[in-house]
Amino acid sequence: MPLPEPIGIYAVLDADTLAPDRLPGAALTMAGEGVRVFQVRGKSLSGRALLALVTAVRDALGPGPTLLVNDRVDVAALAPCDGVHLGDQDLPVAAARRLLPPGAIVGYSTHSIDEAALDHGADYIGFGPVFASTTKPSGRTPLGIEGLRQACGVAPVPVVGIGGIGLDAVAELRRAGASGIAMISALLSTPDVRPTAAAAVRGFQGTEPLDGGRS
Amino acid sequence: MPLPEPIGIYAVLDADTLAPDRLPGAALTMAGEGVRVFQVRGKSLSGRALLALVTAVRDALGPGPTLLVNDRVDVAALAPCDGVHLGDQDLPVAAARRLLPPGAIVGYSTHSIDEAALDHGADYIGFGPVFASTTKPSGRTPLGIEGLRQACGVAPVPVVGIGGIGLDAVAELRRAGASGIAMISALLSTPDVRPTAAAAVRGFQGTEPLDGGRS
C-alpha cells in the first residue's frame, strides 16, 4: 500500500519490546482502532525470524495497512510488505531502492533540522528523538516539539516524529505539523493495547496541523 | 569469481576477531600466500559499515579472489562481491538467490551428517563445528574429523570444514575429503598473518584427499 496522507499513528512493532509471537495480534488490534502504518523492528532477530515475523504481521493485518521493515532491506524485498525504514547506519536509501520493487516505500531517520531539510531520496523521514526514549536510548539530545515544528517546516517530505512519544503528546505533535507520530512503548508496553491505540488515533484525528507543516 | 575447485583455505574475515580497518590488509596478505576464498563476517556491524568493509576488502584483493558476505543478502547483492554465506537462522537459500545476480555463490551451514546429505540449493556447504571453536562458540558438539569425512562422502556439493580449525589440522581435514577449510582465529589472531597463511596453504596443497570425498 502507498503511504497514507497523513500518515497518522505509526506503530513500531519492536520485537525487543513485546515478544514476537504477540506482535501480530497487537498489530491487528491497533489496525482495528485506525492505525494504518506499521514498522516491524527486530534488531536481535535473525534474518529468518524477522522474515517470519513480518509475514505473520501481514497475515494478521491483511493487505490494507502499510507495513514496513526496519533496517533489513533483504527482508523487506522478500517479505509481503511495502518497504523499509533506514537509519543513518543502515544501507543507503538509493542502494536499498535497487533491491526493492518499484514504488516501494523507503523512510529515513533524521536527527537535526539540517538533516530534515535535505533530500535523502526517502518517501518520508523520521525525526527525533522528540523526547527522551526509553525503548531505544540513542544518546542523542531530545529535539522537542519546537524542533519537530521546525523540521516539518523545512522537510521536503512528510515527517514522522519519533522518540519517547506518549499518548499525552500526540495532539500537540500533530498540531506542530507531523504527518505521522511513531509510538513504540506507549502502544506495546501497556496492559491493553486497544484503548491505548484508540486514544492515540483519536488524539491524532481530532487535531489539524496549525503551522503549515506538510501533513 | 566462481568458486575455485578445490576451495582450499577459506578465510573468514571476522570483524569481531580483528578490527575492521585491519581486515583488508590481512586479506591481501593471505591472498599473496595463495588463499583464494574469503568471507567477510561482521555480526556487530551496521549494514552501512559491513558494505564499506566488503568494498574495502574487494579494493584490497582486486577481482581475482572469491569474496562472500556472511548473512546479509542485501549487502551481498549491493557490494562488489561474489555471493553470500547463510546459516540456518539466516534467510533461506532460495530466497537469497532471488535478490542476488545469476551465478552468485551461495553457501549454507550444516551441523550434522544428515543435513550435509541434503540438497540445500547451495553451491557449497559449511560443515561443523569440526572442533570446539573459540571464535564462535556455538554450543554444538564438535563433529570431529570422522564426522567431516562422513559428511564429505554424502554431500552433493563441496564441503568446507569449519570450527576451531588450527594449522595442525589442515592436512588431515584435506585428506578427509574437505574441498575447503575455514579458518578464523588461526589466521587472524596471530602476530604475523603471512607465515600462518602460507603454512595453511602449504598444508592444504601438500595433500590430496584419500577417501574419495568430493574435492
Side-chain angles (χ1 to χ4, degrees), chain A residues 108-138:
Chain A
Y108 181 75
S109 295
T110 66
H111 307 290
S112 70
I113 315 286
D114 287 350
E115 278 188 304
L118 297 176
D119 178 5
H120 299 281
D123 297 291
Y124 73 92
I125 56 169
F127 178 83
V130 178
F131 305 116
S133 167
T134 52
T135 305
K136 193 186 176 186
S138 62

Side-chain angles (χ1 to χ4, degrees), chain A residues 46-49 51 71-75 77-78 87-93 95-96 98-99 108, chain B residues 46-49 51 71-75 77-78 87-93 95-96 98-99 108:
Chain A
S46 69
R48 194 170 290 222
L51 179 60
D71 176 14
R72 291 285 301 240
V73 179
D74 42 10
V75 173
L78 293 166
D88 57 5
Q89 295 305 304
D90 299 335
L91 292 171
V93 171
R98 292 205 292 276
L99 294 184
Y108 181 75
Chain B
S46 68
R48 194 169 289 223
L51 178 60
D71 177 13
R72 291 287 301 242
V73 179
D74 43 9
V75 173
L78 293 166
D88 57 6
Q89 295 306 305
D90 299 334
L91 292 171
V93 171
R98 293 206 291 276
L99 295 183
Y108 181 75

Side-chain angles (χ1 to χ4, degrees), chain B residues 103-176:
Chain B
I105 297 165
V106 181
Y108 181 75
S109 295
T110 67
H111 307 290
S112 71
I113 313 287
D114 287 349
E115 277 188 302
L118 297 176
D119 179 5
H120 298 281
D123 298 292
Y124 73 92
I125 56 169
F127 178 83
V130 178
F131 305 115
S133 167
T134 53
T135 304
K136 194 184 175 185
S138 62
R140 294 190 174 93
T141 305
L143 300 159
I145 295 171
E146 186 52 34
L148 178 66
R149 190 189 320 273
Q150 292 180 42
C152 294
V154 298
V157 291
V159 174
V160 175
I162 188 167
I165 300 175
L167 268 185
D168 56 330
V170 169
E172 190 167 3
L173 297 185
R174 173 59 173 156
R175 278 194 296 268

Side-chain angles (χ1 to χ4, degrees), chain B:
Chain B
M1 295 295 294
L3 208 53
E5 172 58 29
I7 291 168
I9 299 300
Y10 176 116
V12 180
L13 305 171
D14 180 10
D16 295 326
T17 301
L18 190 65
D21 62 352
R22 293 183 58 196
L23 288 173
L28 178 60
T29 299
M30 293 178 207
E33 300 304 325
V35 176
R36 294 178 297 173
V37 179
F38 297 85
Q39 179 202 118
V40 173
R41 184 158 82 186
K43 286 288 183 190
S44 63
L45 296 185
S46 68
R48 194 169 289 223
L50 184 61
L51 178 60
L53 175 58
V54 177
T55 303
V57 170
R58 176 58 90 197
D59 286 347
L61 288 175
T66 300
L67 179 57
L68 307 174
V69 178
N70 186 268
D71 177 13
R72 291 287 301 242
V73 179
D74 43 9
V75 173
L78 293 166
C81 71
D82 303 295
V84 70
H85 184 88
L86 299 169
D88 57 6
Q89 295 306 305
D90 299 334
L91 292 171
V93 171
R97 288 204 189 276
R98 293 206 291 276
L99 295 183
L100 295 168
I105 297 165
V106 181
Y108 181 75
S109 295
T110 67
H111 307 290
S112 71
I113 313 287
D114 287 349
E115 277 188 302
L118 297 176
D119 179 5
H120 298 281
D123 298 292
Y124 73 92
I125 56 169
F127 178 83
V130 178
F131 305 115
S133 167
T134 53
T135 304
K136 194 184 175 185
S138 62
R140 294 190 174 93
T141 305
L143 300 159
I145 295 171
E146 186 52 34
L148 178 66
R149 190 189 320 273
Q150 292 180 42
C152 294
V154 298
V157 291
V159 174
V160 175
I162 188 167
I165 300 175
L167 268 185
D168 56 330
V170 169
E172 190 167 3
L173 297 185
R174 173 59 173 156
R175 278 194 296 268
S179 174
I181 294 173
M183 300 178 79
I184 310 174
S185 297
L187 288 174
L188 297 179
S189 301
T190 177
D192 193 345
V193 169
R194 188 180 304 279
T196 310
V201 170
R202 267 199 316 273
F204 189 91
Q205 289 179 340
T207 53
E208 289 301 320
L210 296 178
D211 297 15
R214 292 161 184 275
S215 60

